[in-house]
Amino acid sequence: MVNRVDPNSPADRYDELMARRAAVEQEVSGRLTRHSEEALKQLPLASGSTRAVGGGADGIRLSANGSLHATLTLRDVHGVTSTVTLRADPGGQVEEYIAERHESEVVAPIRTRDEFDERLSIVTALAREHLPAGAAEDFLAMLRPALRLVHAGENELAVAQLGGLPTLPVNSWPVWEGHGPLGHVLSFDCAPVAAMLPELGLPTDGRLAFFYFDDRYDDGESTVGSWDPASHPGFRVLHLHPELSTRANITDTATPVPPGLAPFPVVALAAVRTVTWPSHETPMAEAVWNRHGLTGPRPGVPAPSVGALYERLWKLPGGGYDTHQIGGHPCPQQGPVEMEVEQLRCGLGGEPFDWNDPSAQSAASDWQLLLQVASDDDADMMWGDVGQLYYLVQNAQQPQDALFTWQCG
């Protein structure tokens, strides 16, 4: 005799319901596991705590029509939550179910900030207020877009990780031979940054990780500086390509620090697209002042109208010396950082360097800020006396070739 399932039999309906329930349980478990594994791989760009990732389910519910439902709440590395609802109808497979949302139920989107147009309008008005017409237009032609990096708030997309641990290929933590391992300063994925700041010309794949020899490691015995080419190994920019990001070459989560090195506390950073201007004493700006008869009374001291303009610019939010920034013009604390990295380039190549040499000043204008990192109490970063680190490139498509300098007040 052949046993047949009777849909009207309570026993058969119960068996079918339990089988569907087991299938839903298995799908829930598998999805949560896969989500956690993928999120942990991205943890170095998150808040640094595994509490920020993972998820859970609210149980399996039986509706009046016999369908089973389970809703998963998933948290990503930035603390942003999303939901997935699974449904298994009588006699059917487990599938995702997208219910209609009322407007009041829509989850708030991840926010990014863009102050470019507003900032451009303000800077344009200030330039035209303080400078002669021709000089104002030449000044405005030097403006560059940038991403100002700020501590990420709720529902803000974190595009960079300040401090914490990077994710590196095996046995690739940068070391300054004879001195010690370099500290991890900041990392970011290229794709979202390149999309937000296409003018910089970054690669659109991989991740950039920035390192610097923090003299806390040897109690201040070693100093990295653009004036000393021998200290060149004391900084590094690694471009970690996607093809290296495999289980054979990379750790699943954060790379442990070498013995004796204490990592900086991790801080998630969001990006604000903004406008930047050159320091008044950079070679390119000096050329504008000279062209329009706006030279100051002595080197390093601007003409009154130029000084008045920069006094107003420095008072704008994010216009001072305490800014994390990708791209744009650097904000120096002592003198043109472009000249300092040109000095380092000459030193590495055994070439003479003279601060007053027009050819050196022209070459300095070819350098472009890749990253500026300010002192930051939350990340326990203090560069000298509340200073800043600067990584500059001549070609943003080759970020690993960046040169470095730092300044403090």
Side-chain angles (χ1 to χ4, degrees):
M1 178 182 293
V2 177
N3 292 324
R4 300 181 184 276
V5 175
D6 181 358
N8 296 315
S9 166
D12 289 338
R13 291 201 304 271
Y14 178 80
D15 290 342
E16 189 273 342
L17 180 63
M18 291 299 100
R20 276 193 291 132
R21 174 178 176 172
V24 172
E25 290 175 345
Q26 183 177 6
E27 183 68 15
V28 167
S29 177
R31 287 187 179 230
L32 290 176
T33 298
R34 291 192 297 273
H35 173 77
S36 294
E37 290 176 348
E38 290 301 316
L40 284 172
K41 292 178 184 178
Q42 301 299 319
L43 187 57
L45 291 179
S47 63
S49 169
T50 54
R51 291 193 298 265
V53 302
D58 63 352
I60 299 175
R61 304 179 305 280
L62 176 65
S63 63
N65 66 359
S67 294
L68 295 177
H69 295 258
T71 299
L72 285 67
T73 301
L74 307 175
R75 293 184 301 278
D76 69 10
V77 293
H78 308 301
V80 178
T81 61
S82 60
T83 59
V84 175
T85 298
L86 302 176
R87 180 179 69 180
D89 292 329
Q93 302 295 318
V94 180
E95 60 183 3
E96 283 193 26
Y97 172 69
I98 302 176
E100 293 186 5
R101 289 181 178 268
H102 299 291
E103 185 176 351
S104 60
E105 297 175 336
V106 176
V107 177
I110 297 175
R111 294 183 289 110
T112 58
R113 290 189 249 170
D114 190 334
E115 65 179 23
F116 183 91
D117 291 340
E118 178 184 4
R119 180 64 64 97
L120 178 60
S121 176
I122 293 172
V123 174
T124 299
L126 290 175
R128 291 173 178 169
E129 174 186 348
H130 291 283
L131 300 177
E137 297 313 306
D138 284 352
F139 169 80
L140 294 173
M142 296 188 292
L143 300 181
R144 289 176 181 170
L147 297 182
R148 188 170 77 251
L149 302 178
V150 298
H151 292 192
E154 185 176 0
N155 286 334
E156 282 192 307
L157 175 65
V159 302
Q161 172 194 317
L162 183 66
L165 300 176
T167 299
L168 302 178
V170 175
N171 297 324
S172 65
W173 193 289
V175 173
W176 184 5
E177 293 298 334
H179 297 267
L182 279 57
H184 171 249
V185 176
L186 185 146
S187 290
F188 64 78
D189 284 329
C190 293
V193 171
M196 297 176 72
L197 192 66
E199 298 86 350
L200 181 56
L202 282 173
T204 57
D205 58 3
R207 174 183 300 158
L208 298 187
F210 296 80
F211 294 83
Y212 167 66
F213 183 81
D214 179 13
D215 59 11
R216 295 181 306 172
Y217 183 82
D218 65 357
D219 295 326
E221 290 295 323
S222 304
T223 302
V224 180
S226 57
W227 61 89
D228 181 10
S231 68
H232 175 244
F235 66 88
R236 200 80 52 84
V237 179
L238 300 183
H239 184 195
L240 306 172
H241 296 274
E243 60 268 22
L244 297 179
S245 300
T246 65
R247 288 185 178 273
N249 294 289
I250 205 165
T251 56
D252 286 340
T253 56
T255 304
V257 295
L261 180 66
F264 295 105
V266 67
V267 177
L269 299 176
V272 182
R273 183 173 165 86
T274 189
V275 172
T276 62
W277 48 88
S279 167
H280 70 85
E281 52 186 332
T282 59
M284 68 169 60
E286 288 279 6
V288 171
W289 314 142
N290 291 335
R291 187 160 56 246
H292 294 279
L294 296 175
T295 56
R298 59 184 183 275
V301 178
S305 58
V306 175
L309 168 63
Y310 276 81
E311 284 290 336
R312 298 285 296 277
L313 293 174
W314 286 329
K315 293 179 181 178
L316 295 178
Y321 300 137
D322 55 351
T323 305
H324 307 306
Q325 182 179 306
I326 298 174
H329 289 286
C331 184
Q333 293 186 248
Q334 295 179 341
V337 298
E338 297 90 343
M339 289 293 289
E340 293 186 6
V341 296
E342 177 61 18
Q343 178 187 29
L344 175 58
R345 185 196 68 80
C346 289
L348 291 171
E351 303 173 25
F353 175 81
D354 183 347
W355 284 80
N356 298 314
D357 184 351
S359 63
Q361 296 174 352
S362 176
S365 297
D366 293 335
W367 289 99
Q368 161 73 58
L369 178 68
L370 176 58
L371 177 70
Q372 173 179 298
V373 182
S375 296
D376 191 303
D377 289 341
D378 287 353
D380 196 23
M381 292 178 177
M382 179 61 67
W383 315 124
D385 183 12
V386 198
Q388 297 187 146
L389 310 181
Y390 306 89
Y391 300 81
L392 283 80
V393 290
Q394 291 179 315
N395 179 5
Q397 279 288 310
Q398 304 294 328
Q400 68 276 6
D401 295 335
L403 294 186
F404 169 89
T405 189
W406 68 280
Q407 295 181 350
C408 65

